[in-house]
Amino acid sequence: MDLMTTMHATQSCQHKLASQLLSLFSMLAAKLGKVSLIVGLITLALCGASHAATINLSCDSVHSHPEICRSVAEDWARKTNNEVHVVNAPNDSNERLAFYLGLLRSASDKIDIFEIDVIWPGLMANYFIDLRPYSKSVEKQFFPDMLANNTVNNRLIALPWYSDTGIMFYRKDLLKKYGFGLPKTWKELAVTAKKTQDAERAAGNLKMWGYVWQGRAYEGLTCNAMEWLGSYCGGTLIDENGKVTINNPHAIEALKTAASWIGSISPKAVLNYGEEESRGVFQSGNAVFVRHWPVVWAGSQRADSMVRGKVGVMALPTGSAAGRSTGALGGWQLAVSKYSKNQALAADLVNYLTSAEVQGPRAIRSSVNPTIMSLYSDPALVKANPFMAELYDSFATAVRRPSTVTGGKYDQVSALFWSATHEVLSGKKSADIALVELEAALNRLAPGGKWTAPALENP
Ligand code: GLC
């Protein structure tokens, strides 16, 4: 232990007196020539059980307001006399996964708390501790489905931090101006979007587009495409029993429909849009509809938003009159690394961050869906986010990506799916051929030729 580290640790304990005493003793010890030993002993004695720790946390609330996570984590640090350090991680879900796995595969302790996507528990469970011994039974307040998703081999490997469902935001001022009702099917949406787009362009806004969404080849496209499939009764790519179902006429129709939007109601650039790009186009007033996550609501109400007061929220359209409206289920969880040197403290911070005390005000400020059931009956929350009450049912029936049945290989399954979808959207392949090939590739990837139980990654 060197002198600087020891002094820093002592200051972290916020014992000013301790620091002064330490300097005094250090001078004395230096004269005696036994600096390390004496300083170490003094520090131990002064900090004792309340030794401060730094918890490294990756929780910048992807696509949400990063400052909220930082400031609530700092509140915890002040209350508990510890320190937190927020580690930056890539925004795109799949890039973030690669970054996290890189650290965990090398048994790194650089991050104590990981913010993990709803689709990763089966992929990453073995890297995280069981939170039950630390949770003080608070888990009962969360939606049971979310807890079930985070429970792998009877271990609760993460607590739900916020939930996401794909929803549609629209310009209610423009629909009113041109006399349109809310579209129920994708066909109706395409008509409303095109007519409104053309009328707005004729009126001078040449940048106006009918519909923007996330079309880049990444996890966000998997979410959009799962929604199209669901709305056309085209299945979930691989069903719960492990059968690859993607090559079917409804799925083909769904992808063909989406491809027909490119260059018509959606710019070609949508093939490179993620969450931020699509949100940017909508919030600067250049799109009639945007498919996104709930967080866009708060952003569009902010003082600097060009669309403030002009935005409505609806469930996603159905494929046909008989089809379903299916938003993809997303969301983020907080998990504690098994390589953390401060597991109990990190678990305590996870309890705090996921508590109603933090989630309630966060939902009001940033329109992020809470994971605690009781918060949905809070009048302040519903007043700030009316759609949370209006669309509650569609949140309950959100479509799940096939992450449970594919376990440790979900990332590869999703990459095959978004690549095939991107090829169809960009006109490189017909939907029929792309889905035949995708079906074969998914079958080849299945362990032993059949998707059955999760194949967990073993560190
Ligand atoms: C949102 C969702 C997450 C999803 C990601 C895709 O962050 O919460 O589940 O994987 O978007 O871009």
Side-chain angles (χ1 to χ4, degrees):
M1 184 185 274
D2 67 30
L3 184 60
M4 282 314 289
T5 316
T6 315
M7 287 195 67
H8 177 72
T10 308
Q11 278 156 5
S12 305
C13 285
Q14 296 183 343
H15 292 313
K16 281 207 179 125
L17 178 65
S19 218
Q20 286 158 3
L21 277 175
L22 180 60
S23 312
L24 254 173
F25 278 110
S26 307
M27 278 160 39
L28 192 65
K31 285 199 176 137
L32 296 173
K34 301 236 184 254
V35 178
S36 319
L37 179 65
I38 297 180
V39 170
L41 284 173
I42 296 165
T43 307
L44 266 181
L46 292 174
C47 287
S50 66
H51 177 79
T54 299
I55 301 297
N56 293 302
L57 161 74
S58 174
C59 79
D60 56 356
S61 287
V62 193
H63 317 309
S64 145
H65 300 299
E67 72 280 4
I68 294 186
C69 175
R70 187 183 298 272
S71 75
V72 289
E74 281 166 1
D75 288 345
W76 173 88
R78 268 189 299 277
K79 280 182 204 166
T80 60
N81 243 351
N82 288 292
E83 289 182 11
V84 286
H85 173 234
V86 176
V87 182
N88 290 331
N91 246 355
D92 278 4
S93 171
N94 39 293
E95 284 176 20
R96 181 175 279 238
L97 177 65
F99 169 68
Y100 282 175
L101 285 177
L103 285 175
L104 290 166
R105 282 177 183 149
S106 63
S108 164
D109 64 354
K110 291 264 180 314
I111 297 183
D112 300 284
I113 299 177
F114 286 81
E115 181 186 38
I116 67 165
D117 202 334
V118 69
I119 47 184
W120 300 344
L123 253 165
M124 304 182 81
N126 288 344
Y127 293 108
F128 301 134
I129 65 165
D130 184 359
L131 290 174
R132 266 190 209 128
Y134 306 99
S135 69
K136 305 176 193 136
S137 300
V138 289
E139 64 265 27
K140 292 195 189 76
Q141 59 187 334
F142 296 104
F143 284 97
D145 273 12
M146 296 179 191
L147 281 185
N149 191 59
N150 292 347
T151 305
V152 181
N153 292 343
N154 207 25
R155 294 164 61 243
L156 179 64
I157 57 103
L159 287 182
W161 167 228
Y162 68 89
S163 170
D164 259 344
T165 308
I167 47 180
M168 189 69 82
F169 297 86
Y170 62 92
R171 287 286 300 277
K172 61 179 186 199
D173 58 325
L174 296 183
L175 263 49
K176 190 166 171 221
K177 180 171 169 190
Y178 298 108
F180 290 114
L182 294 186
K184 290 207 172 58
T185 62
W186 287 111
K187 281 200 180 79
E188 285 173 21
L189 178 130
V191 172
T192 304
K194 182 82 171 79
K195 290 192 173 160
T196 310
Q197 164 190 303
D198 291 351
E200 282 296 291
R201 285 188 190 178
N205 183 0
L206 299 178
K207 288 187 179 163
M208 181 59 95
W209 283 98
Y211 180 39
V212 291
W213 37 284
Q214 298 81 43
R216 181 158 70 229
Y218 81 120
E219 187 63 33
L221 178 56
T222 289
C223 296
N224 282 252
M226 290 295 299
E227 290 164 351
W228 307 330
L229 295 187
S231 71
Y232 276 89
C233 305
T236 53
L237 188 63
I238 298 174
D239 73 15
E240 281 169 2
N241 302 317
K243 185 171 168 9
V244 176
T245 58
I246 186 59
N247 183 19
N248 70 74
H250 299 297
I252 293 171
E253 194 188 355
L255 292 197
K256 278 187 177 162
T257 304
S260 74
W261 301 332
I262 310 287
S264 161
I265 55 171
S266 307
K268 283 215 174 78
V270 85
L271 294 173
N272 208 20
Y273 280 3
E275 273 82 5
E276 287 315 301
E277 292 82 3
S278 48
R279 166 159 65 172
V281 172
F282 184 73
Q283 270 181 215
S284 49
N286 294 325
V288 186
F289 294 95
V290 63
R291 176 269 174 217
H292 221 290
W293 308 102
V295 68
V296 164
W297 174 252
S300 65
Q301 303 308 309
R302 278 208 295 264
D304 60 349
S305 161
M306 307 282 286
V307 293
R308 189 168 188 206
K310 300 176 177 170
V311 175
V313 189
M314 60 180 235
L316 295 174
T318 62
S320 60
R324 285 197 309 141
S325 164
T326 45
L329 179 69
W332 293 83
Q333 340 292 313
L334 296 178
V336 174
S337 166
K338 68 184 230 182
Y339 303 117
S340 164
K341 299 216 166 64
N342 294 296
Q343 295 180 357
L345 268 181
D348 190 60
L349 176 52
V350 166
N351 285 345
Y352 177 68
L353 291 173
T354 55
S355 67
E357 180 187 345
V358 167
Q359 288 205 44
R362 181 190 60 183
I364 291 168
R365 193 167 146 215
S366 73
S367 68
V368 165
N369 273 39
T371 56
I372 292 179
M373 289 179 285
S374 61
L375 286 173
Y376 286 82
S377 47
D378 173 2
L381 176 134
V382 177
K383 185 162 177 257
N385 307 294
F387 71 92
M388 286 192 188
E390 287 156 22
L391 299 183
Y392 190 84
D393 288 348
S394 64
F395 295 147
T397 57
V399 62
R400 287 168 182 278
R401 288 163 274 175
S403 55
T404 303
V405 75
T406 56
K409 291 198 170 183
Y410 172 76
D411 53 339
Q412 296 171 60
V413 167
S414 183
L416 285 170
F417 181 45
W418 80 55
S419 302
T421 304
H422 201 266
E423 290 195 305
V424 175
L425 297 174
S426 51
K428 291 197 185 122
K429 252 180 210 161
S430 73
D432 315 51
I433 292 180
L435 294 194
V436 168
E437 291 177 2
L438 177 60
E439 179 185 38
L442 289 173
N443 279 324
R444 272 197 306 274
L445 185 63
K450 171 107 177 81
W451 295 103
T452 43
L456 296 183
E457 165 144 351
N458 267 311

